[in-house]
Each structure stands twice: as C-alpha cells, then as structure tokens.
Amino acid sequence: MSDFLPDRVWLKIEYCCSKIEQGKLLSDHYFLSLRTHKKILMEQSVMQLSIEDLLSFNMNFKSYQDKLIIVELEGRNHRNPGFKDGVSIRLDAFSIFLVRQGKVEITIDDYTYYLSDNLLLDIMDMHSVKDIRISPDFKGYHLIIDRNVFAEIMLNSRRMPAAYIASLHSRPIQHLNEDDAILLENCLHRIVRNIDRTDHAWQRDIILNELRGFLLEMNNIVYQANRHKVTPNPPAKDVLLFLFIQLLNKHCRMEHTVSFYAGELCITPEYLSRIMKNFSGKTVNQWISEALMREAEILLRNPDLSIQQVADLLNFSDQSSFGKFFKKHRGISPTIFKQQYQ
C-alpha cells in the first residue's frame, strides 16, 4: 500500500483527477447569471469557471471542440468580460498566459504583480486571479486546456517533475528572453493554423502534437531557468507529489487531515508524510496549514463575509477554533486582519 507501481501511475492520475472534479465548489456560475445564483455567489469570494463559461463572452479566440482555446489579447481591443472587481477567479482548466509586449497588472493569490514584455504566467488551476488590467499596447495570448486533453497529452510525454510544478505554486511567473518568447508564440500560431484546417483527416492528431510541442518547449524553458533551485525526484514519487498538490488545492477548505489525502492517494499517512518531508522539508500538516491560511486570507478580505461565515466555509468546528488557528499562523486575530482591508 505504500508504493505506486510505475506502469500504473498514469491510470492513477486519471482516477484521482475524476475524484478531484467531484470536489469543486462552483463549476457553472458566473456573474452574468448573478440574479439566479445570488445567494451562492454571496458566499463565495473565489469563483470557479468552466471553459463553457468563458466561451459565452465575446472574445477573440480560436477553439477546438471547446477543449482547447487560444485567446489573442490586444490592449486596444480588450473588453472587460463582466467580472466584478475584487472577486478572484479560478478557471476549471489548465491556463497559461504568454505576454509578448505591453504592461499588465494582475493579482494572483491576492498578491499584485506589475509586469511587462516577455513573460509566461503558468497559472494552471491552483491559483486564484483577479483584477487583470492591461495597457493599450498590450499583446499576448491566453491558452486554455481541458483537463482530459491535458492528461491525454501527458500520458505520452515525459512530464515536468512535480518538484518544479510545486515551485510554480509560489513562482507562477517566468521571465522569457526574446528567442524563447518567439519560439512559444510560433508554437501557438501553428496550433491556430491547424484549428482552421477542419478538412484535414488527422486534424485532432496534428493539433494535439502541436500542443504537446508547446508544452514541452514551455517546460524546458521553466526547467532550465529553475533546475538549480529544485531537486528532482524518482518518477513514482513525482506522481504522488503532483497528485497531492492537486488534491490539496481542491479540498483544503474542507479537508484538514493527513489521513484524507493519503486515503485519496491510496497510501499510508506515514508514507505521504515521509515523501513530502524529504521533498520540501515541510510536513504534510504544514502544507495543509499554508493552503488553509491562503484560503482564509482570501475569504477574510471579502467584506460580505463575517468571521463566523469564514470559519464555516473552511470547515472549522466554531469561530473560536478558527481564530486560534489563524492567530497561530498569522500572528494576529482574524478580526484585526479583516479590519486592515475594510
């Protein structure tokens, strides 16, 4: 029970991804349907959107079967899709921004970045994003990949080690040199051209091959830039790390125990704890606490939520227990923290 068989690890990824899907907080609600879902939205300061939601907006995009989307962003033609300022968005898909020129202000996990030319934002689904503002001369691309399409590609590819995926959680932004930026942009242009080739008998295969090429080039750029910062792990442990990170970001609001995540991964709590400690120097409980604190701070910034409501949304037994947890990790009470943002 304490080990994964190498020839079954990707089947385990598909299984766990299906279970992760069942735990999403909100899948098909967005602000255009605010009147219908007002009560639900008032309780959520982080909204999870599906690809279908995004396609309902008037954007300049190319789509392949609504599973692979490339949005071309230009400052002079940019329009706000209608999201309310201050509300964080999590896209229920893998999401990558390529910034070619101009400036962008973007808040990721409640930290605001001021960015300019040639950047890669590997947001994926673990980050919350809000208040994107771009300059008139901005030019960039937003690549959106359905989970199942992504899994299919990675089944036949050497994947980025989970250690690097974990590092992206705290460093989602990668600076690019001009050659690398042009390389990635050309990859996207090839995908767009093949999306238009609807009469090609092997269109799907060509598109997925081009997408695989983009992801491999992107992974190589990130790998070369960060290889000295992170120690890779053996493949079987790599998969466990990847799955744990995905599970944690989906379930941290409701599940606070090591045994839950170990159970979802079909391993013992001791084995999971040993792997995470060796990988990061932090215990599983520390990973859970950090994820929970991140969610707590996002919720406490919402003026429409009381501290009791935040405690309920984070599955604490009562407000007192939440207050003790928050003060232990933040050094101040939830009340004082909330007052700082009012």
Side-chain angles (χ1 to χ4, degrees):
M1 187 176 180
S2 62
D3 289 303
F4 267 145
L5 296 176
D7 60 341
R8 296 183 182 177
V9 292
W10 283 112
L11 292 177
K12 185 63 181 175
I13 284 182
E14 290 185 321
Y15 167 74
C16 284
C17 283
S18 69
K19 297 201 74 174
I20 290 172
E21 284 293 314
Q22 299 171 15
K24 60 187 179 182
L25 291 172
L26 202 61
S27 61
D28 299 317
H29 305 303
Y30 50 98
F31 277 98
L32 292 183
S33 59
L34 181 59
R35 286 176 295 180
T36 305
H37 304 289
K38 182 177 179 181
K39 183 177 185 296
I40 295 176
L41 295 178
M42 285 294 287
E43 297 175 354
Q44 301 294 340
S45 62
V46 178
M47 300 218 25
Q48 187 153 326
L49 301 182
S50 67
I51 292 179
E52 182 181 2
D53 294 334
L54 289 181
L55 293 180
S56 67
F57 299 116
N58 184 19
M59 300 181 296
N60 180 23
F61 67 88
K62 290 286 185 179
S63 170
Y64 177 70
Q65 298 182 347
D66 294 349
K67 302 294 184 181
L68 172 62
I69 316 295
I70 298 179
V71 183
E72 186 168 355
L73 301 168
E74 293 186 351
R76 65 178 183 276
N77 297 323
H78 179 67
R79 56 178 296 175
N80 189 324
F83 300 131
K84 183 180 178 181
D85 286 345
V87 175
S88 298
I89 304 298
R90 279 183 181 147
L91 183 60
D92 189 24
F94 291 91
S95 181
I96 301 166
F97 283 91
L98 173 63
V99 179
R100 284 294 283 124
Q101 72 177 42
K103 298 180 179 179
V104 57
E105 176 185 334
I106 183 170
T107 301
I108 302 175
D109 296 334
D110 282 314
Y111 184 87
T112 301
Y113 297 86
Y114 301 90
L115 310 170
S116 56
D117 308 344
N118 291 342
L119 287 165
L120 187 69
L121 308 183
D122 192 357
I123 296 175
M124 310 303 276
D125 68 338
M126 59 182 62
H127 296 285
S128 60
V129 179
K130 66 180 179 182
D131 300 339
I132 301 177
R133 296 179 176 85
I134 61 179
S135 63
D137 63 337
F138 181 88
K139 180 180 179 182
Y141 306 86
H142 185 191
L143 175 63
I144 305 164
I145 310 170
D146 175 79
R147 291 173 180 273
N148 292 330
V149 171
F150 184 84
E152 179 181 348
I153 289 175
M154 301 319 293
L155 276 170
N156 300 307
S157 302
R158 180 187 175 192
R159 193 169 44 83
M160 174 78 82
Y164 296 95
I165 296 174
S167 71
L168 287 173
H169 197 177
S170 58
R171 295 189 300 273
I173 296 171
Q174 178 66 54
H175 291 271
L176 306 171
N177 60 43
E178 182 66 15
D179 289 342
D180 287 340
I182 291 174
L183 175 65
L184 294 179
E185 185 175 35
N186 287 339
C187 288
L188 293 178
H189 287 166
R190 288 197 297 272
I191 296 173
V192 169
R193 284 197 298 270
N194 283 296
I195 288 176
D196 291 333
R197 301 174 69 187
T198 55
D199 59 342
H200 197 294
W202 287 271
Q203 184 194 28
R204 186 176 191 278
D205 299 88
I206 290 179
I207 289 175
L208 293 188
N209 281 337
E210 294 289 3
L211 178 58
R212 180 181 292 110
F214 172 86
L215 293 173
L216 292 175
E217 294 290 2
M218 181 191 75
N219 285 351
N220 180 63
I221 291 169
V222 176
Y223 174 85
Q224 298 296 341
N226 297 281
R227 61 187 306 176
H228 63 286
K229 302 175 185 177
V230 185
T231 302
N233 294 279
K237 291 183 179 179
D238 232 23
V239 173
L240 282 174
L241 294 174
F242 174 80
L243 291 174
F244 172 72
I245 292 168
Q246 293 294 307
L247 285 166
L248 180 62
N249 282 280
K250 285 296 178 184
H251 294 287
C252 65
R253 286 194 179 190
M254 298 303 295
E255 302 293 344
H256 308 164
T257 64
V258 179
S259 59
F260 168 81
Y261 297 99
E264 291 294 294
L265 296 170
C266 298
I267 59 176
T268 65
E270 293 76 17
Y271 185 61
L272 178 59
S273 297
R274 186 164 66 251
I275 288 177
M276 296 308 297
K277 183 69 174 179
N278 291 339
F279 155 62
S280 64
K282 296 187 294 186
T283 66
V284 177
N285 280 323
Q286 286 176 305
W287 276 82
I288 294 172
S289 294
E290 289 177 4
L292 196 52
M293 279 298 298
R294 184 174 64 248
E295 296 296 319
E297 291 182 2
I298 291 173
L299 292 171
L300 286 170
R301 289 185 176 97
N302 186 339
D304 296 322
L305 294 177
S306 67
I307 295 175
Q308 180 62 60
Q309 288 174 312
V310 172
D312 292 340
L313 288 169
L314 295 179
N315 202 25
F316 281 86
S317 58
D318 52 49
Q319 182 175 330
S320 176
S321 298
F322 171 64
K324 291 176 182 177
F325 169 83
F326 191 89
K327 188 170 184 178
K328 175 183 176 181
H329 293 279
R330 194 66 166 76
I332 58 176
S333 69
T335 301
I336 294 176
F337 180 88
K338 192 170 182 62
Q339 289 172 349
Q340 295 174 350
Y341 293 91
Q342 290 180 344

